[in-house]
Amino acid sequence: MAQAASEDILDSVLLTTFKINGRRYKVLLNHGTLIWETEKSPVTRYSLQLNDVIGVGYDHYRDYSCCLNSQNNDTVEEIGTEDSIEEFTSHSHSSFLIHYTFKEKNNKWVYCKLLVAHKEPRIVDKWLTVIKSYLKGFTQRPKNLLIFVNPYGGKKRGLKIYEKKVKPLLDLAGVKVDLRITQRANHAKETLLTENLEGFDGIACVGGDGTFSEIMNGLLIRTTLDQGLDASDLDCEYPRPKIRVGVIPGGSTDTIAYCIHGTTDIRTAVLHIVIGQSTGLDVSSVHNKSKLLCFYASVMSYGYLGDIIRDSDNFRWMGPKRYNYSGFKSFIANHGYEGEIVFSVNESSAPLDSKCLKDCRRCQSQRDLCELDPQSASDSKELKRIRGKFLMVSGANLSCACPRSPNGISPHCHLGDGCLDLVLVHHTSLWNNLRLLLTLSNRMKSIYDLPFVEVHRTTHFTFQALPIPARRSSDFSVWNCDGEVVADTCIFIRTHCQLIEVFFRGVESCLEDEESGCFCL
């Protein structure tokens, strides 16, 4: 929990009558909660927790507008930054602005602001000083970010997203940014391997799953090398980076952003970063027989999804639509691939588990366990072997939900329980493949109910493509790893419990259609 800067600020109780957005209210500030109510009957009361406030400042521009809903505006007005405040004497102001975030339904957070006015500048100064002191006490909030922007991902709108939706909110929160624009594949990863990271308390990216994978791989490998460890050692206990990581959606599917934030709304992701709350995220390492190939955070998939990513590389000129085209081709082809999987058996059953939502007990218990003993993640010495012909073999760290697939490949996969879900889709008819795709796109259905799908919870597994040797190249598919191709056909995958910290405020069920809105709506 955030700590206030000093005991006297924590104990501050202020009560004053203000005009808020043009109406008179009695306003109380007590122990980090701002409460205001109308003076006349019928009494209407509103409240705002200061941990939802992202910034405060004098109203230099005399803007008396009502709260600004970020969902309906392309830009956020830059008001009350620290630099601008220095240019004015405090006694010349009779109003100030409170910039805050408000949670709507479907996990979206929006930016709002309050105009608070009083005829006595001395009262305005006192309230502004107290609120600023509270905000300085929120030590978990990032002050210096290293941000990578991928200008080529998705619809090639990365720079526009940063300038119009990301930067204004970071400016309001007083966050300093070192901006890097990637120019080629693995640019972000290479930068993190050599960059001096002292002084940064967060790294974020504006891009898709591939861009996030780059900064995650670069940070994890850098941390491992700094500790003098061999990243290619199968038994390596990878150290946890001290720097937290954030993802701002700007790609084609944005699976990782959707799973972490519960939405692909851009400003929601930025506000998660600004507020500074975080959680541990499981990461899996991928090895072949001789070395570490990569880390991944979402899914590693062989067969159908591998065929799509391999084929779509030939149609990059089509943009995101290439995935639909290659997906249709792969669906009609209905290729099946032989393989053998050996995996550890975990006592938890994915189909019987609950979804990973805010304040998840399963993830929290694993976090407590890992803090006591980093090597104590749940594991089993019992191994199970499955051989067959598969449409798809996937190792899912996340549910892999996205707007097109609200439940994802494995709906009950958790963010930080130290396990991954091994999803085996047996090769079957086109009709059953259609059932699979329709199930994945339906919020009310689950792949656990399909008879040709197996889901096993595990901590590690080995996959070997068959036959050996291959009779022809079409016998083998490739792996789709966070949107990148991995061609190895014999690999070992192991999950690492909460290996990185990601900015995160919690995800709630989207089935709740509660009516909610800002107080002035």
Side-chain angles (χ1 to χ4, degrees), residues 74-201:
D74 288 332
T75 60
V76 178
E77 190 173 358
E78 299 180 41
I79 300 173
T81 61
E82 292 292 336
D83 292 338
S84 63
I85 291 173
E86 298 295 333
E87 300 175 5
F88 293 83
T89 58
S90 61
H91 292 290
S92 63
H93 298 283
S94 59
S95 60
F96 65 95
L97 286 160
I98 299 177
H99 308 280
Y100 67 100
T101 176
F102 176 80
K103 188 176 186 299
E104 291 189 332
K105 60 184 179 181
N106 296 331
N107 290 303
K108 287 187 179 180
W109 290 81
V110 296
Y111 159 70
C112 303
K113 64 182 178 184
L114 295 175
L115 176 66
V116 183
H118 196 282
K119 62 182 180 180
E120 290 287 341
R122 177 180 55 85
I123 300 296
V124 171
D125 294 342
K126 182 177 182 179
W127 276 73
L128 199 60
T129 299
V130 171
I131 295 175
K132 280 186 178 181
S133 297
Y134 258 104
L135 298 185
K136 287 181 180 178
F138 296 140
T139 55
Q140 83 279 12
R141 295 190 176 185
K143 303 295 187 296
N144 296 281
L145 289 177
L146 176 59
I147 296 184
F148 293 91
V149 175
N150 180 358
Y152 307 109
K155 297 180 180 179
K156 301 183 179 180
R157 296 176 58 244
L159 282 173
K160 184 177 180 181
I161 288 172
Y162 176 78
E163 291 295 336
K164 290 197 171 185
K165 296 185 177 182
V166 180
K167 184 178 183 297
L169 287 172
L170 296 179
D171 287 345
L172 284 176
V175 179
K176 296 179 180 179
V177 173
D178 185 343
L179 181 66
R180 308 294 177 89
I181 301 172
T182 60
Q183 302 296 325
R184 61 186 182 278
N186 289 318
H187 188 180
K189 178 182 176 181
E190 293 166 4
T191 300
L192 290 173
L193 288 175
T194 58
E195 186 77 12
N196 181 2
L197 300 179
E198 291 184 10
F200 294 114
D201 45 19

Side-chain angles (χ1 to χ4, degrees), residues 189-231:
K189 178 182 176 181
E190 293 166 4
T191 300
L192 290 173
L193 288 175
T194 58
E195 186 77 12
N196 181 2
L197 300 179
E198 291 184 10
F200 294 114
D201 45 19
I203 301 174
C205 66
V206 180
D209 297 336
T211 309
F212 179 83
S213 180
E214 278 194 37
I215 67 170
M216 180 188 69
N217 273 270
L219 184 61
L220 288 173
I221 294 174
R222 169 68 178 274
T223 306
T224 302
L225 294 177
D226 286 348
Q227 295 290 329
L229 301 174
D230 180 8

Side-chain angles (χ1 to χ4, degrees), residues 265-390:
D265 179 68
I266 294 166
R267 289 193 180 92
T268 295
V270 180
L271 291 169
H272 278 216
I273 293 172
V274 166
I275 295 300
Q277 295 173 354
S278 62
T279 191
L281 179 67
D282 290 346
V283 175
S284 288
S285 58
V286 184
H287 291 77
N288 62 13
K289 294 180 179 180
S290 59
K291 65 178 182 179
L292 172 73
L293 296 176
C294 62
F295 294 98
Y296 74 89
S298 61
V299 66
M300 182 92 167
S301 188
Y302 182 85
Y304 177 69
L305 293 181
D307 291 348
I308 291 176
I309 202 67
R310 176 171 59 183
D311 185 71
S312 66
D313 273 346
N314 300 319
F315 306 100
R316 285 191 172 271
W317 56 270
M318 295 176 66
K321 292 182 180 179
R322 68 185 185 271
Y323 298 116
N324 294 334
Y325 177 65
S326 295
F328 178 75
K329 288 175 62 181
S330 298
F331 173 78
I332 294 299
N334 191 24
H335 286 305
Y337 299 97
E338 294 183 38
E340 182 180 74
I341 304 104
V342 180
F343 61 94
S344 64
V345 179
N346 189 273
E347 60 183 12
S348 172
S349 174
L352 300 179
D353 205 353
S354 60
K355 285 191 174 183
C356 188
L357 298 173
K358 186 177 181 180
D359 300 324
C360 175
R361 292 183 179 179
R362 179 175 173 83
C363 293
Q364 185 58 50
S365 65
Q366 283 300 313
R367 187 181 187 90
D368 296 341
L369 197 61
C370 288
E371 287 177 355
L372 292 173
D373 181 5
Q375 300 184 22
S376 62
S378 57
D379 198 359
S380 170
K381 296 185 181 300
E382 180 185 353
L383 297 178
K384 186 173 181 178
R385 185 185 307 268
I386 296 177
R387 178 181 289 211
K389 190 173 185 180
F390 305 96

Side-chain angles (χ1 to χ4, degrees), residues 428-480:
T428 181
S429 64
L430 274 176
W431 167 245
N432 279 334
N433 292 348
L434 180 61
R435 289 176 63 195
L436 173 68
L437 296 182
L438 291 175
T439 299
L440 288 173
S441 63
N442 191 323
R443 184 184 296 278
M444 305 306 296
K445 295 184 178 180
S446 169
I447 65 168
Y448 303 138
D449 300 326
L450 298 175
F452 51 90
V453 176
E454 296 181 52
V455 182
H456 303 276
R457 183 148 288 165
T458 182
T459 56
H460 58 82
F461 72 91
T462 302
F463 176 86
Q464 172 66 66
L466 301 174
I468 305 176
R471 293 184 291 269
R472 53 191 183 277
S473 60
S474 60
D475 285 340
F476 293 160
S477 180
V478 296
W479 291 91
N480 180 339

